[in-house]
Amino acid sequence: MKNTLMPSERLSVVDSLRGFALLGIVLLHNLEHYNIYFKPEFIPSWLQSVDQGVWDTLFFFFGGKSYAIFSLLFGFSFFIQLRNAQKRGDSFKLRFAWRMVLLAMFAQLHAIFYNGDILLLYALVGLFLIPASYLKDKAVLWIAIILLLQPLEWIKFIYAICVPGYQPSPDMYEQYATISIGSTMNDGLWNLIKTNIVEGQLFSFLWQVENGRLLQATGLFYLGMLLGRKEYFVNTADSHIFWKKALKCAAIAFVPLYIINIWCVKLVDSNIMMIPFKIVLPSLMNFSMMAIYVSGFCLLWFKKKDGYRWQKITIPFGRMSLTNYITQSVIGVTLFYGFGFGLYKYTGASVSLVIGVMIFILLLYTSRRWLTSHKQGPLEYIWKKLTWIKLFSKI
């Protein structure tokens, strides 16, 4: 294992990338009205066309890609925490499991406001990083590749071909989505909280599982851990070579995946044949574009040695990612949900994009101000303090 990075040193390129990913998530959440997919009918036709262009463009560039970057860097952070603990002589693996329990608590806090929480999935999948940390690099890589190929979807596809008359079962999340989304549109805050604690969490979690994100997140976590082991986020000659190869391979892979996903799917009229097209191809396409973003971002950062000025803008936003992720949801649902200002009734994609940018600017400003006198964001500080409480000093 290399020892280029000192235990206390932060990698600004990772913070910047995390901030960039979170920016994409904020913008998409606002376009979706935080899971209220509603288009006002009174908007003039010319603005509807603009809104559709904004929607398509933002989802092309960020949909599934921002989440993938966020997941990749979660696995990287696990490796950094594990290595730093080992250098101090601390045992971290059981403590990390406790850290995931704490993350699940943050997830529940987040979910009482917003029914699209991702933290609960991360808390569950994060536990799989512990056994993976004992494996050699090649084993971790192969497991990650298999998981990213969505083997369960291919098993269903093969089963459907072998069993005449088989029809895919309806998605379980839909029954909870109906209840949860109805609450976001019509209920007051207290009823919304009661709904989100149960139906909202089930809606969010089951959607993620049934759309392949359980396996995808695990694979991305493992790849992030491998990137940490290889120190590819450190500016070295090996990192330059790796990211150039990654950029080339991802760019070559994206073109056929995009063509197949967009055009060939239109020719498929069988529910059985749609099984691999529905989840596997979009997942792989998003992964390849995510790899283009990360590799290109790192190469530009290393070219400037410590990043371009425009890349550094998102560093404070990324350093306070947990705080900003939850805070942007609280602000967003207050603006769009029925218990608040109910803006979902009046705003199309263009106006929602402007609101999303304003939320980002506000949180970026507060992050910068906060970090001038604090090392971490408030929720990051609480998470760290609870992770290392003396009660668990022996684990």
Side-chain angles (χ1 to χ4, degrees):
M1 185 182 296
K2 300 177 182 179
N3 293 300
T4 306
L5 187 65
M6 296 299 294
S8 61
E9 184 182 350
R10 292 191 68 94
L11 284 173
S12 294
V13 63
V14 174
D15 289 327
S16 181
L17 264 172
R18 189 179 287 112
F20 170 75
L22 185 53
L23 168 60
I25 291 171
V26 171
L27 297 182
L28 293 184
H29 282 178
N30 278 270
L31 258 64
E32 298 167 335
H33 298 149
Y34 289 81
N35 275 352
I36 302 179
Y37 293 85
F38 183 89
K39 295 182 179 180
E41 296 181 355
F42 66 84
I43 294 178
S45 58
W46 68 268
L47 186 53
Q48 291 182 16
S49 299
V50 174
D51 284 345
Q52 190 61 54
V54 169
W55 182 281
D56 293 341
T57 301
L58 266 291
F59 271 89
F60 174 78
F61 284 107
F62 292 111
K65 295 83 174 175
S66 295
Y67 147 81
I69 297 173
F70 215 63
S71 302
L72 187 79
L73 298 182
F74 191 95
F76 172 80
S77 296
F78 164 77
F79 168 78
I80 293 298
Q81 293 165 1
L82 174 62
R83 187 185 63 177
N84 290 348
Q86 289 173 339
K87 288 184 176 181
R88 295 192 303 265
D90 296 327
S91 177
F92 184 69
K93 292 172 183 177
L94 289 179
R95 191 176 290 276
F96 182 78
W98 164 241
R99 185 172 172 84
M100 292 301 96
V101 173
L102 294 172
L103 184 60
M105 296 180 185
F106 281 116
Q108 192 58 67
L109 170 66
H110 184 223
I112 65 175
F113 299 104
Y114 173 49
N115 58 26
D117 171 72
I118 193 70
L119 299 179
L120 184 61
L121 179 70
Y122 277 19
L124 173 63
V125 173
L127 296 175
F128 296 116
L129 283 165
I130 299 173
S133 67
Y134 293 98
L135 301 177
K136 295 182 179 180
D137 293 352
K138 286 186 178 179
V140 175
L141 177 60
W142 278 109
I143 293 173
I145 291 173
I146 292 171
L147 292 173
L148 290 171
L149 289 174
Q150 299 288 346
L152 293 181
E153 299 306 313
W154 291 111
I155 291 172
K156 287 195 294 184
F157 178 59
I158 295 172
Y159 179 81
I161 293 176
C162 297
V163 179
Y166 168 81
Q167 291 294 327
S169 58
D171 292 326
M172 293 177 59
Y173 79 87
E174 291 181 351
Q175 57 181 316
Y176 302 107
T178 302
I179 298 172
S180 182
I181 295 174
S183 179
T184 63
M185 299 172 71
N186 305 309
D187 286 350
L189 179 59
W190 178 241
N191 287 334
L192 172 70
I193 290 174
K194 290 191 294 184
T195 301
N196 277 348
I197 288 175
V198 180
E199 286 86 0
Q201 274 284 37
L202 287 171
F203 161 40
S204 177
F205 187 77
L206 289 174
W207 182 90
Q208 291 158 9
V209 172
E210 292 173 341
N211 282 271
R213 289 206 168 175
L214 180 63
L215 298 185
Q216 186 189 37
T218 309
L220 289 168
F221 280 17
Y222 285 6
L223 289 182
M225 183 176 66
L226 278 178
L227 291 175
R229 288 183 180 182
K230 298 294 187 180
E231 296 199 343
Y232 285 141
F233 286 116
V234 180
N235 192 353
T236 64
D238 289 344
S239 297
H240 283 254
I241 294 172
F242 171 78
W243 289 120
K244 286 179 181 179
K245 290 182 178 179
L247 179 60
K248 184 182 297 184
C249 292
I252 293 173
F254 176 78
V255 175
L257 286 171
Y258 178 78
I259 293 173
I260 294 172
N261 187 64
I262 298 300
W263 297 106
C264 293
V265 170
K266 296 180 180 180
L267 304 177
V268 178
D269 57 1
S270 168
N271 288 335
I272 294 175
M273 293 300 295
M274 275 299 297
I275 292 175
F277 288 101
K278 181 181 177 182
I279 294 176
V280 179
L281 285 175
S283 175
L284 293 176
M285 186 185 72
N286 290 334
F287 174 81
S288 62
M289 194 162 182
M290 179 275 295
I292 292 173
Y293 286 167
V294 176
S295 54
F297 197 95
C298 289
L299 287 171
L300 288 172
W301 187 283
F302 296 155
K303 181 181 179 181
K304 194 67 175 177
K305 293 187 178 179
D306 57 350
Y308 286 89
R309 181 176 298 180
W310 61 267
Q311 290 180 302
K312 296 179 182 180
I313 291 174
T314 56
I315 290 176
F317 198 56
R319 286 186 60 184
M320 290 176 48
S321 57
L322 178 62
T323 298
N324 287 327
Y325 177 64
I326 293 179
T327 303
Q328 60 88 26
S329 293
V330 175
I331 296 173
V333 300
T334 302
L335 292 175
F336 289 106
Y337 282 10
F339 79 87
F341 293 93
L343 293 184
Y344 78 89
K345 301 176 184 178
Y346 315 107
T347 56
S350 302
V351 177
S352 298
L353 174 60
V354 173
I355 294 174
V357 172
M358 292 174 65
I359 291 175
F360 165 71
I361 293 173
L362 172 63
L363 294 179
L364 178 62
Y365 173 77
T366 56
S367 297
R368 284 180 172 176
R369 291 294 300 272
W370 181 271
L371 292 174
T372 58
S373 56
H374 302 80
K375 293 182 179 180
Q376 297 172 299
L379 294 187
E380 286 79 6
Y381 175 80
I382 295 171
W383 195 15
K384 181 178 179 179
K385 283 295 183 181
L386 291 177
T387 297
W388 294 98
I389 55 176
K390 293 181 179 180
L391 178 64
F392 293 89
S393 59
K394 295 183 180 180
I395 65 174

